Amino acid sequence: MSEHKVISFDNIKVACRNCSLTSLCLPMGLTPEDVDQLDNIVRRSRPLHRGDHLFRQGDVFQCIYVVKTGTVKSFDPGEDGSEQVLGFHLPGEMIGLDAIETGYHHCSAKILETTAVCEIPFTRLEELSSIIPSLQHQMFRLLSREIGHDEDMLTLLGKRNAEERLASFLLSLSGRFQRRGFSPSDFYLSMSRHEIGNYLGLAVETVSRLFTRFQDEGLLKVERKHIQLMDIERLKQILHNDQGGGVRERQIP
Amino acid sequence: MSEHKVISFDNIKVACRNCSLTSLCLPMGLTPEDVDQLDNIVRRSRPLHRGDHLFRQGDVFQCIYVVKTGTVKSFDPGEDGSEQVLGFHLPGEMIGLDAIETGYHHCSAKILETTAVCEIPFTRLEELSSIIPSLQHQMFRLLSREIGHDEDMLTLLGKRNAEERLASFLLSLSGRFQRRGFSPSDFYLSMSRHEIGNYLGLAVETVSRLFTRFQDEGLLKVERKHIQLMDIERLKQILHNDQGGGVRERQIP
DNA sequence: CGCAATATTGACCACTCTCAATGAGGGTGG
DNA sequence: CCACCCTCATTGAGAGTGGTCAATATTGCG
């Protein structure tokens, strides 16, 4: 029966299975029956278009979202309109986990390119998690992963210079594309330079200059949104460059 | 029976109840019986001393820790010894949530001043969460809160200048002390200037200079570790100061 | 086709870091 | 109990990364 669904042409089911599989099920020992149960509570939304809001900060929290296709950015709109981009979400990635605590969305989420998402009503997901221990475990893992990722970003913003930040960003994208079966070295950016800079704590101009410099140094080719990483190894070297260089930052006794 | 424990002089039980209450139970509708069950799996560790490691990055993950008294700092030691301080944990706060994903600690944790913690074996906590839906919900909330807090830190590091960062840091401490019944305007820092700077993405010298400046401006009095906030309102104003000042950062269309 | 948004590039400047020297505590051992 | 040392904190001077302002492509959209 589970098999039936996988090979069926019931697009909605298959689509949802895809999202949930990627983020929720694949890594853990969920039985096919469990997956079916999960599938049953997952809803696929209408296609969303660039500029649409998936939700806004302060909205009542009802669903976790999983990107199926497209890209979503999450951001803190700030009290006065000064955004802070918190993340770019590619297919298979979840959005809205920060809303569980208060029941209201802690950040906003906006569509960067035509996107399909799966909606998972959180209350039902909780109910199911109580019944299926491995699903509960998987949920804990997902939340924990988010924390770990945010901590990595804190290190990026707290310790790395502009060059290292952009290299890290590109390599992150590269890896995420690769894991999803796309080219790790040839892709299109769905976000603007402005959004990249905002995300990395840099000015637009700095991002632009760095792209130019990276290109001049043969690290990549860039033409607007189109990126080709020519030397991934050297990009990785940038990350592990001068970390030990600063004697003073060596350690906190 | 639950009442009995509360008024008993079984210090260990009471101690553990205190931790679990603060972080795990208070905000949610756990019944006294649920709390008892939780108490039964919570262990109180021996007192730890300054410099001790609670755990190290890469250690096998077994327990969530809740600070009972004292202060703990969590940090990413970095591959070469360049630390990134990720947080300072006061009584009632949890440590180790980022380890759930992989089963290995994602960061290290070190004692800043003599500290007592409660250990909560995570496997048993998971088992209990399956049985007690409101505990599961509370766990999801705790993890979500951590994500939200990290996101706030990303905004701090990505958008705020040195002055705003230190003001935000002091106000955060102030609020957390107040919530625990201590003075919000008169407290001792358990971390060094170096650690504060590291946490805020600033050099030690910058932190030191800012303390001096804040004192000169009458915002606070500082003498080594002893801080007295003299004008909390003005400190808060610093946070909401020039955010709208930059026209260019107004919004991302 | 033309306007608006986006991106690139240059010049300048400022915030913060780095380097360096001094002072103040805190702990240890004589 | 004091001297010594080591770490931590403070302060000053100078430098540099990256931000700001501004002008000019370039693109995309109505």
Side-chain angles (χ1 to χ4, degrees), chain A residues 145-163:
Chain A
R145 175 198 296 189
E146 195 68 21
I147 295 169
H149 174 262
D150 287 349
E151 287 173 352
D152 292 343
M153 279 303 297
L154 290 181
T155 301
L156 193 74
L157 294 186
K159 288 269 171 304
R160 309 295 173 221
N161 63 25
E163 188 181 65

mmCIF file of all heavy atoms in Angstrom, chain A residues 145-163:
data_model
loop_
_atom_site.group_PDB
_atom_site.id
_atom_site.type_symbol
_atom_site.label_atom_id
_atom_site.label_comp_id
_atom_site.label_asym_id
_atom_site.label_seq_id
_atom_site.Cartn_x
_atom_site.Cartn_y
_atom_site.Cartn_z
ATOM 1 N N ARG A 145 19.021 20.261 14.718
ATOM 2 C CA ARG A 145 19.848 20.613 13.571
ATOM 3 C C ARG A 145 19.771 22.096 13.291
ATOM 4 O O ARG A 145 20.776 22.744 12.972
ATOM 5 C CB ARG A 145 19.380 19.840 12.336
ATOM 6 C CG ARG A 145 20.117 20.249 11.070
ATOM 7 C CD ARG A 145 19.396 19.846 9.831
ATOM 8 N NE ARG A 145 19.301 18.391 9.734
ATOM 9 C CZ ARG A 145 18.871 17.753 8.655
ATOM 10 N NH1 ARG A 145 18.484 18.431 7.599
ATOM 11 N NH2 ARG A 145 18.800 16.446 8.643
ATOM 12 N N GLU A 146 18.577 22.627 13.413
ATOM 13 C CA GLU A 146 18.382 24.053 13.177
ATOM 14 C C GLU A 146 19.223 24.866 14.164
ATOM 15 O O GLU A 146 19.856 25.850 13.796
ATOM 16 C CB GLU A 146 16.904 24.388 13.337
ATOM 17 C CG GLU A 146 16.500 25.735 12.783
ATOM 18 C CD GLU A 146 16.582 25.799 11.278
ATOM 19 O OE1 GLU A 146 16.564 24.727 10.617
ATOM 20 O OE2 GLU A 146 16.698 26.921 10.745
ATOM 21 N N ILE A 147 19.227 24.427 15.403
ATOM 22 C CA ILE A 147 20.028 25.130 16.404
ATOM 23 C C ILE A 147 21.505 25.071 16.038
ATOM 24 O O ILE A 147 22.208 26.084 16.068
ATOM 25 C CB ILE A 147 19.798 24.515 17.809
ATOM 26 C CG1 ILE A 147 18.355 24.747 18.240
ATOM 27 C CG2 ILE A 147 20.768 25.107 18.825
ATOM 28 C CD1 ILE A 147 17.943 23.970 19.481
ATOM 29 N N GLY A 148 21.962 23.878 15.665
ATOM 30 C CA GLY A 148 23.361 23.733 15.280
ATOM 31 C C GLY A 148 23.714 24.609 14.094
ATOM 32 O O GLY A 148 24.784 25.234 14.056
ATOM 33 N N HIS A 149 22.805 24.668 13.140
ATOM 34 C CA HIS A 149 23.067 25.504 11.968
ATOM 35 C C HIS A 149 23.146 26.977 12.339
ATOM 36 O O HIS A 149 24.023 27.708 11.863
ATOM 37 C CB HIS A 149 21.971 25.279 10.923
ATOM 38 C CG HIS A 149 22.079 26.199 9.750
ATOM 39 N ND1 HIS A 149 21.328 27.346 9.653
ATOM 40 C CD2 HIS A 149 22.883 26.183 8.671
ATOM 41 C CE1 HIS A 149 21.655 27.980 8.535
ATOM 42 N NE2 HIS A 149 22.606 27.308 7.923
ATOM 43 N N ASP A 150 22.230 27.402 13.188
ATOM 44 C CA ASP A 150 22.265 28.802 13.614
ATOM 45 C C ASP A 150 23.557 29.105 14.360
ATOM 46 O O ASP A 150 24.127 30.186 14.224
ATOM 47 C CB ASP A 150 21.062 29.113 14.510
ATOM 48 C CG ASP A 150 19.762 29.193 13.704
ATOM 49 O OD1 ASP A 150 19.836 29.223 12.470
ATOM 50 O OD2 ASP A 150 18.683 29.213 14.320
ATOM 51 N N GLU A 151 24.025 28.155 15.137
ATOM 52 C CA GLU A 151 25.279 28.362 15.849
ATOM 53 C C GLU A 151 26.446 28.504 14.871
ATOM 54 O O GLU A 151 27.342 29.332 15.072
ATOM 55 C CB GLU A 151 25.528 27.206 16.828
ATOM 56 C CG GLU A 151 24.607 27.258 18.037
ATOM 57 C CD GLU A 151 24.723 26.027 18.929
ATOM 58 O OE1 GLU A 151 25.410 25.053 18.526
ATOM 59 O OE2 GLU A 151 24.137 26.020 20.003
ATOM 60 N N ASP A 152 26.405 27.724 13.818
ATOM 61 C CA ASP A 152 27.445 27.870 12.798
ATOM 62 C C ASP A 152 27.390 29.263 12.186
ATOM 63 O O ASP A 152 28.432 29.877 11.910
ATOM 64 C CB ASP A 152 27.267 26.811 11.706
ATOM 65 C CG ASP A 152 27.539 25.411 12.218
ATOM 66 O OD1 ASP A 152 28.170 25.276 13.286
ATOM 67 O OD2 ASP A 152 27.126 24.446 11.549
ATOM 68 N N MET A 153 26.190 29.750 11.977
ATOM 69 C CA MET A 153 26.053 31.098 11.418
ATOM 70 C C MET A 153 26.582 32.149 12.394
ATOM 71 O O MET A 153 27.153 33.148 11.971
ATOM 72 C CB MET A 153 24.582 31.389 11.099
ATOM 73 C CG MET A 153 24.100 30.809 9.787
ATOM 74 S SD MET A 153 25.061 31.372 8.373
ATOM 75 C CE MET A 153 24.741 33.136 8.379
ATOM 76 N N LEU A 154 26.385 31.917 13.675
ATOM 77 C CA LEU A 154 26.915 32.861 14.661
ATOM 78 C C LEU A 154 28.434 32.937 14.547
ATOM 79 O O LEU A 154 29.015 34.018 14.608
ATOM 80 C CB LEU A 154 26.518 32.434 16.079
ATOM 81 C CG LEU A 154 25.050 32.580 16.444
ATOM 82 C CD1 LEU A 154 24.805 32.135 17.875
ATOM 83 C CD2 LEU A 154 24.600 34.021 16.256
ATOM 84 N N THR A 155 29.069 31.785 14.366
ATOM 85 C CA THR A 155 30.518 31.785 14.194
ATOM 86 C C THR A 155 30.897 32.526 12.923
ATOM 87 O O THR A 155 31.852 33.301 12.898
ATOM 88 C CB THR A 155 31.043 30.343 14.145
ATOM 89 O OG1 THR A 155 30.677 29.679 15.359
ATOM 90 C CG2 THR A 155 32.551 30.315 13.987
ATOM 91 N N LEU A 156 30.114 32.294 11.877
ATOM 92 C CA LEU A 156 30.398 32.962 10.603
ATOM 93 C C LEU A 156 30.358 34.476 10.773
ATOM 94 O O LEU A 156 31.260 35.195 10.340
ATOM 95 C CB LEU A 156 29.370 32.520 9.552
ATOM 96 C CG LEU A 156 29.721 32.882 8.112
ATOM 97 C CD1 LEU A 156 30.837 31.994 7.595
ATOM 98 C CD2 LEU A 156 28.510 32.795 7.204
ATOM 99 N N LEU A 157 29.315 34.962 11.426
ATOM 100 C CA LEU A 157 29.155 36.413 11.576
ATOM 101 C C LEU A 157 30.091 36.978 12.639
ATOM 102 O O LEU A 157 30.476 38.138 12.575
ATOM 103 C CB LEU A 157 27.707 36.743 11.952
ATOM 104 C CG LEU A 157 26.660 36.427 10.893
ATOM 105 C CD1 LEU A 157 25.295 36.921 11.330
ATOM 106 C CD2 LEU A 157 27.036 37.060 9.557
ATOM 107 N N GLY A 158 30.453 36.161 13.611
ATOM 108 C CA GLY A 158 31.267 36.672 14.693
ATOM 109 C C GLY A 158 32.754 36.638 14.410
ATOM 110 O O GLY A 158 33.502 37.455 14.933
ATOM 111 N N LYS A 159 33.170 35.719 13.554
ATOM 112 C CA LYS A 159 34.607 35.502 13.404
ATOM 113 C C LYS A 159 35.150 35.674 11.990
ATOM 114 O O LYS A 159 36.327 35.977 11.824
ATOM 115 C CB LYS A 159 34.959 34.071 13.846
ATOM 116 C CG LYS A 159 34.884 33.842 15.339
ATOM 117 C CD LYS A 159 36.229 34.118 15.998
ATOM 118 C CE LYS A 159 36.066 34.087 17.513
ATOM 119 N NZ LYS A 159 35.033 35.050 17.997
ATOM 120 N N ARG A 160 34.342 35.462 10.987
ATOM 121 C CA ARG A 160 34.879 35.443 9.624
ATOM 122 C C ARG A 160 34.824 36.804 8.953
ATOM 123 O O ARG A 160 33.899 37.576 9.177
ATOM 124 C CB ARG A 160 34.096 34.440 8.773
ATOM 125 C CG ARG A 160 33.945 33.059 9.379
ATOM 126 C CD ARG A 160 35.271 32.354 9.511
ATOM 127 N NE ARG A 160 35.145 31.099 10.232
ATOM 128 C CZ ARG A 160 36.006 30.665 11.136
ATOM 129 N NH1 ARG A 160 37.060 31.378 11.444
ATOM 130 N NH2 ARG A 160 35.819 29.509 11.730
ATOM 131 N N ASN A 161 35.784 37.047 8.108
ATOM 132 C CA ASN A 161 35.761 38.290 7.334
ATOM 133 C C ASN A 161 34.883 38.114 6.089
ATOM 134 O O ASN A 161 34.332 37.040 5.844
ATOM 135 C CB ASN A 161 37.177 38.713 6.958
ATOM 136 C CG ASN A 161 37.862 37.693 6.062
ATOM 137 O OD1 ASN A 161 37.203 36.929 5.361
ATOM 138 N ND2 ASN A 161 39.170 37.666 6.080
ATOM 139 N N ALA A 162 34.771 39.187 5.330
ATOM 140 C CA ALA A 162 33.838 39.202 4.205
ATOM 141 C C ALA A 162 34.119 38.071 3.217
ATOM 142 O O ALA A 162 33.211 37.359 2.780
ATOM 143 C CB ALA A 162 33.908 40.554 3.492
ATOM 144 N N GLU A 163 35.386 37.909 2.888
ATOM 145 C CA GLU A 163 35.808 36.881 1.938
ATOM 146 C C GLU A 163 35.365 35.486 2.412
ATOM 147 O O GLU A 163 34.767 34.718 1.662
ATOM 148 C CB GLU A 163 37.331 36.940 1.844
ATOM 149 C CG GLU A 163 37.972 36.102 0.805
ATOM 150 C CD GLU A 163 39.499 36.269 0.879
ATOM 151 O OE1 GLU A 163 40.114 35.880 1.892
ATOM 152 O OE2 GLU A 163 40.051 36.806 -0.083
#
